[in-house]
Structures are given as structure tokens and as C-alpha cells.
Amino acid sequence: MTQEELFKKLVAHCKEYGFVFPSSEIYDGLGAVYDYGQMGVELKNNIKRYWWDSMTRLNDNIVGIDAAIFMHPRTWEASGHVGAFNDPLIDNRDSKKRYRADVLIEDWIAKQDEKIQKECDKARKRFGDAFNEEQYRSTSPRVLETAAKRDAVLERMSKALNDNDLVELRQIILDCEIVCPISGTRNWTEVRQFNLMFSTQMGSTADGANTIYLRPETAQGIFVNFLNVQKTGRMKLPFGIAQIGKAFRNEIVARQFIFRMREFEQMEMQFFVRPGTEMEWWNKWKETRMKWHRALGFGDDNYRFHDHEKLAHYANAATDVEFKFPFGFKEVEGIHSRTDFDLGNHQKFSGKKIQYFDPETGESYVPYVVETSIGVDRMVLQVLSAAYKEEKLESGEERTVLSIPAPLAPVKACVMPLVKKDGLPELAHKIIADLRFDHNVQYDEKDSIGKRYRRQDAIGTPFCITVDHQSLEDGTVTLRDRDTMEQSRVAISDLNTIITEKVGMKQLFEKLL
Ligand code: GAP
């Protein structure tokens, strides 16, 4: 199965099992907007809890807030989003389709990488065990030529983006002979800048309504509350403020399911530090955040850092944590050193002093900021794409299983009476009544036990508990493990302890310390 086929199957699976639905589907959906179903919302909540607790509970100096989505419009002038939160867009005159110019070029660069990889794969077949890919990449004339072309285009693009040189961006597209994927032609318009913020009106038009924006990042709600939190919480630098909430961007290239959405959710933490120490903290947070991802056990090789070629208008250093999705390595989280850009500008635009008095140095200054910013939806996609597996069993049967890390699984256990009579359903319900205060537990009595197992595998339930006639006699049940499919006989009185040990967040948190 190709990665593309796998991804299509995953998307279909998400819909079939109540993880993700297209928004307003009965009206044919709304582009790049999605709803989470009964399983999706549980998974999402667990991811949020993993993040929130790892920030606010494991760190004495990080507290949380929940700021409003609507903010005073001046906020977005101060933050630079009104002026600079743009994407460079280009239209194809024949297909009438609109693209992000930098994404067209990035796709071309990815194709060169694929070409190089194909050359290496061919050579590996030719040379067999003796093949040394590293050496081949550094000596094969064909590979070197493609790599040089690729690097030159990447450098031109980075410079054009940094210089805001839209003419040069278009020229790169022409020079690389990039065609529209729909029309197949090179009939391109000029490149134009397009602001990504959604706007709406507050107040009635008769009163002279104000244009306000749906926030494109949650971070600004933290910056404008810096003094409120610092003073009321008596916080001393370095300290952080964490927030989870919705953000909105009018993305033009909205594709790859919940990877790039127009309404999405962010988990952001702004860490305020003494000027001059920001690089040290940036490196620390890079390490801490990578640990958080890797603790989920999806394989260390599936993550990498990608340092930014083009820095956002507020940053002096930035890196992405990238995860290997079925469509390649892509960003899940950004770690940015934002300098004093935001607090400094809010001070200027609001006319209010936003400074910290440092008792150690006796000075007042605008703190510097290191930010960690991760998309909840991209985390959902990361978990689902790492967890989705189609397995052939020894019996010849096949099963689709989501090996979601147990602490994040939507349902923790399903209790199943072997038959719908003889007092077995009653005992099953009693077991659920004991477990439900601590865990999300389901009841299922329909179809054969095998079919019931398959249903739970498909939503990633770590445990199935079967109640049979022996249970009535000796108070034991069969506990079946999702991943090993092994079954063991355990006492009903031990169930909560066994389940808690496996599904508790504690085991994840311990890996972070
Ligand atoms: N406050 C900084 C900031 O917003 P960003 O790199 O633009 O930085 C941070 O976004 C994270 O938010 C990304 O790493 C990604 O996980 C998520 N994100 C951004 N745009 C998104 C979109 N259109 N759909 C889903 N997630 C998105």
C-alpha cells in the first residue's frame, strides 16, 4: 500500500468511526473546516490534557489563561498581523486556480529530493550490500547536479521571501518551468500578497461598527495579559503563560485533511525571559518539546527539527518540530524566539508601560519571549497516522487497529457480556459503574466477541473485558490487550488498578522529567 493510499484510508476511517467529519456535511461541507465526532473529541481532549498538564503542572513557573478570541483591533496592528500576515499568491489563468507561490516552489524542491532518492534506490539495487548511500550522494554527477539545482532554487526562494520580492518569486516559478497541476500550463499571473486574517464587524453599522479580527494565533491574548498575570500571580522571570484555544486563518492552500484548516486550535506557551538569555531558553525549549513528542513512542526517527530559512516578522530564531506524516515530514510545532517584538509593540501602540522590574538587577525592561506553539489538530493527525495499522492475523483474518498510546485513547475499556442473559449484562453494568468515575468505558453486547473486539480495535480501545459464566462464580473476567491481543484472567476487584496503570498520563509525564 502506498503512503497516499494509506492516507486516504485513514481519512475514510476517521469518518466511519466518528473521529472527524467534514463541517456542515449535509450542505456539502465547507472548505478546510472540520468537526470532531464522538471519538475525535475524546482524543483531542486527551491530547490537550497531556500538553496542558505537562506545561502547568510539571513546571512551577508556568500558569495558564483563557483569553477571548475577539480582541481590540489595535492588537493586530501592534502584532504586525495587519501589515505582514500575508501569503504570496499566484493564479493560473487557464485553470483559474489560485496557489501559494512559495508552496509551488517547495513542491518543486520536494520533487528534486524524490528524484535524488530514486537515483539512490536504483544504485542500491545495482550495487547490492556494498552500496554506501552517503558516498553515492556526494560523488554521483547526476545526484550532485540535481542537488545543486535544488539548493540554488531554495536559496533564491528564501531570499525572495525575506526581501518580499514578488517579481523574483514569479521568476523562480517560470525558471523552474512549474506548471499548474490542473491545467498543465505555465500561464501565470503576477504574484500578489494576501492577508490571512478573517474580519467581522462588532456593534451595529448605524453606530459606526468596528472591524475586528478572528485571532490568527492565540499568542496575542497572552501578551496583552502579561502584566495582569505577572502582577496578580506575583510571577518572577523566567516564567511562562500557557493557553489553548481556537485560531482562524483564511488559508489559500488548504489541503491534507486536518493538517491545514481555516479554523483550528493551538496550544501556545509564551516564556518570558531576561534579554540576552533567550537563545539559551530557546535551546532548552527545543529539547523539552522534542522529548514531549518522543514520549508518545512513535519512533525517534519520525521526528526532526527544521530551522526556518525565512523568519516571521517577530522572530530572531525559529525551528519547527516536524513529524513524518504519510505525505512526508511536516511541521507540527514551532519554537520561536520572539525577542521583545510583541510586548515592545503593545507598549508603543497602547501607550501603557509593559515592563518587568528585575529585583536581581534592579532594572526595568521589556522581557524577551520564547514561544512554543503547537496545533492540536496536527497532533490529532500525528497520533492517528502513527497509530493506524492494518494487520494480518495468524488466523488469516485481518484487523484494522489504532495503536493510540493508551493515555490518549478515546475509550479506555469496553465491557462485554459473553451472552445477553443469565445475569451477565447486569454484572457487566456493575463493572462499568465501578470504572466510570475514573475512565471512559463502553458497553457492548451486540454480535460475536470477535466482531466486538474488531470494533474496539478500530477506535483504539486498549482493553476489552469479557464477562462470562465463570465471572458469576469466581469474580474474574477475561482482560484482552489491544496490541498483543493476549487474554488473561483477572479479578474484577483488580481491574481499576490494572487499567489505571496503563492508561494514566503519569507514565508519559515521568518520561519528561
Ligand atoms: N504563535 C505562533 C504561530 O502561530 P505558526 O507556526 O503559524 O506560529 C503554530 O503556527 C502551529 O499552529 C503550527 O506548528 C501548526 O501546528 C498550527 N497551525 C498553524 N496553521 C494551521 C492551520 N491552518 N491548520 C492547522 N494547524 C495550524
Side-chain angles (χ1 to χ4, degrees):
M1 185 166 38
T2 64
Q3 290 298 296
E4 205 172 312
E5 286 163 349
L6 175 92
F7 190 57
K8 271 197 189 140
K9 282 192 170 185
L10 176 66
V11 174
H13 190 89
C14 282
K15 168 129 193 267
E16 189 178 346
Y17 287 94
F19 283 88
V20 183
F21 306 126
S23 157
S24 18
E25 196 184 5
I26 55 169
Y27 296 103
D28 297 332
L30 185 65
V33 186
Y34 290 91
D35 298 338
Y36 285 87
Q38 66 279 14
M39 290 301 135
V41 69
E42 295 287 345
L43 171 59
K44 210 175 168 203
N45 285 342
N46 292 339
I47 289 172
K48 289 196 262 187
R49 194 158 84 74
Y50 175 40
W51 183 88
W52 184 261
D53 287 356
S54 73
M55 285 291 175
T56 62
R57 283 206 198 163
L58 300 193
N59 295 286
D60 294 336
N61 57 353
I62 297 182
V63 293
I65 62 163
D66 182 18
I69 289 173
F70 290 149
M71 300 181 72
H72 194 285
R74 293 274 283 164
T75 308
W76 304 109
E77 288 171 39
S79 70
H81 284 83
V82 170
F85 195 53
N86 301 319
D87 272 347
L89 297 186
I90 190 165
D91 291 33
N92 182 270
R93 291 197 184 91
D94 298 320
S95 66
K96 311 269 182 274
K97 288 277 170 204
R98 181 164 290 174
Y99 301 93
R100 256 176 67 180
D102 55 333
V103 170
L104 282 178
I105 300 169
E106 274 169 8
D107 286 350
W108 181 90
I109 290 170
K111 274 197 196 122
Q112 309 313 302
D113 287 336
E114 278 168 28
K115 245 193 220 169
I116 293 172
Q117 193 55 53
K118 267 193 195 141
E119 284 288 333
C120 293
D121 293 345
K122 261 200 303 196
R124 177 173 291 108
K125 269 198 195 137
R126 236 182 10 248
F127 296 117
D129 285 347
F131 181 66
N132 179 335
E133 183 166 329
E134 206 177 319
Q135 192 184 4
Y136 187 75
R137 278 176 182 265
S138 60
T139 52
S140 155
R142 243 204 301 229
V143 168
L144 287 174
E145 192 190 331
T146 312
K149 256 187 1 194
R150 170 206 185 280
D151 292 348
V153 167
L154 180 62
E155 203 181 315
R156 272 178 78 188
M157 179 182 76
S158 304
K159 185 165 177 340
L161 289 172
N162 269 326
D163 299 348
N164 208 3
D165 187 345
L166 304 182
V167 175
E168 168 68 353
L169 272 182
R170 180 171 189 270
Q171 195 55 49
I172 300 172
I173 290 172
L174 297 180
D175 292 349
C176 292
E177 302 186 345
I178 295 172
V179 296
C180 164
I182 307 289
S183 67
T185 72
R186 285 183 238 150
N187 194 3
W188 296 112
T189 61
E190 301 305 306
V191 177
R192 286 171 300 119
Q193 290 288 21
F194 176 84
N195 194 286
L196 297 182
M197 282 197 295
F198 284 103
S199 62
T200 186
Q201 302 291 314
M202 183 176 260
S204 73
T205 344
D207 299 344
N210 266 331
T211 295
I212 55 166
Y213 298 99
L214 296 185
R215 65 182 178 197
E217 62 170 8
T218 61
Q220 297 305 324
I222 294 179
F223 292 127
V224 299
N225 277 298
F226 168 76
L227 282 183
N228 284 337
V229 175
Q230 192 267 318
K231 293 215 160 112
T232 57
R234 299 191 320 280
M235 308 299 289
K236 286 210 170 67
L237 246 58
F239 76 92
I241 305 178
Q243 177 170 220
I244 299 178
K246 290 269 183 160
F248 305 83
R249 295 182 191 178
N250 197 359
E251 299 280 4
I252 293 308
V253 184
R255 57 182 185 187
Q256 285 151 340
F257 192 37
I258 53 172
F259 182 81
R260 197 177 299 285
M261 301 155 85
R262 294 196 166 104
E263 174 181 340
F264 57 102
E265 211 166 354
Q266 288 186 316
M267 306 188 279
E268 299 202 295
M269 194 279 298
Q270 310 296 322
F271 200 70
F272 301 94
V273 303
R274 187 182 286 169
T277 63
E278 71 274 14
M279 280 307 157
E280 188 191 318
W281 282 109
W282 183 63
N283 282 314
K284 251 191 201 142
W285 278 108
K286 271 174 77 172
E287 199 185 304
T288 306
R289 295 305 303 148
M290 188 57 105
K291 232 186 200 182
W292 185 89
H293 285 279
R294 288 184 168 161
L296 292 173
F298 297 143
D300 291 1
D301 293 347
N302 288 323
Y303 297 92
R304 69 180 187 195
F305 285 117
H306 173 249
D307 290 339
H308 285 204
E309 298 284 337
K310 181 192 184 238
L311 292 173
H313 58 274
Y314 48 71
N316 70 352
T319 197
D320 295 335
V321 175
E322 292 189 338
F323 177 73
K324 197 171 177 190
F325 288 99
F327 41 85
F329 271 104
K330 296 277 174 207
E331 169 189 351
V332 277
E333 171 156 10
I335 299 151
H336 311 125
S337 171
R338 291 183 77 130
T339 67
D340 59 353
F341 177 89
D342 300 272
L343 289 183
N345 266 9
H346 285 307
Q347 180 169 258
K348 211 178 331 168
F349 277 70
S350 68
K352 310 260 163 42
K353 192 168 161 195
I354 306 180
Q355 297 202 352
Y356 172 77
F357 174 74
D358 191 330
E360 280 178 38
T361 62
E363 287 171 313
S364 286
Y365 51 78
V366 178
Y368 270 44
V369 173
V370 173
E371 160 187 80
T372 72
S373 172
I374 174 170
V376 181
D377 313 274
R378 284 197 193 171
M379 266 313 289
V380 171
L381 191 58
Q382 173 183 325
V383 170
L384 288 172
S385 40
Y388 182 90
K389 290 185 189 112
E390 291 180 1
E391 291 178 351
K392 212 167 181 95
L393 308 182
E394 273 173 20
S395 62
E397 265 184 285
E398 283 182 9
R399 73 162 182 164
T400 301
V401 59
L402 292 182
S403 304
I404 300 174
L408 303 185
V411 176
K412 306 304 185 192
C414 180
V415 186
M416 312 169 167
L418 189 62
V419 289
K420 287 188 246 176
K421 54 183 185 179
D422 303 337
L424 301 189
E426 289 76 6
L427 180 54
H429 283 300
K430 192 173 165 306
I431 292 172
I432 290 179
D434 288 343
L435 293 175
R436 68 164 23 124
F437 295 116
D438 298 305
H439 306 292
N440 187 17
V441 185
Q442 276 194 350
Y443 174 81
D444 191 3
E445 60 173 25
K446 200 167 173 287
D447 300 320
S448 69
I449 285 288
K451 274 196 183 153
R452 286 183 252 174
Y453 282 165
R454 290 294 94 82
R455 277 202 287 272
Q456 293 303 319
D457 287 345
I459 58 169
T461 308
F463 290 113
C464 288
I465 298 162
T466 307
V467 178
D468 55 19
H469 293 94
Q470 189 185 331
S471 312
L472 298 173
E473 287 161 22
D474 66 4
T476 64
V477 287
T478 303
L479 188 66
R480 184 245 191 200
D481 182 284
R482 173 196 70 196
D483 299 325
T484 62
M485 289 183 286
E486 271 167 20
Q487 300 182 16
S488 53
R489 202 81 205 170
V490 304
I492 292 171
S493 54
D494 290 340
L495 277 175
N496 205 347
T497 313
I498 298 171
I499 295 172
T500 302
E501 198 173 313
K502 175 120 180 196
V503 309
M505 291 270 173
K506 193 173 166 204
Q507 48 159 312
L508 290 179
F509 296 143
E510 277 170 350
K511 292 189 199 167
L512 307 181
L513 296 173

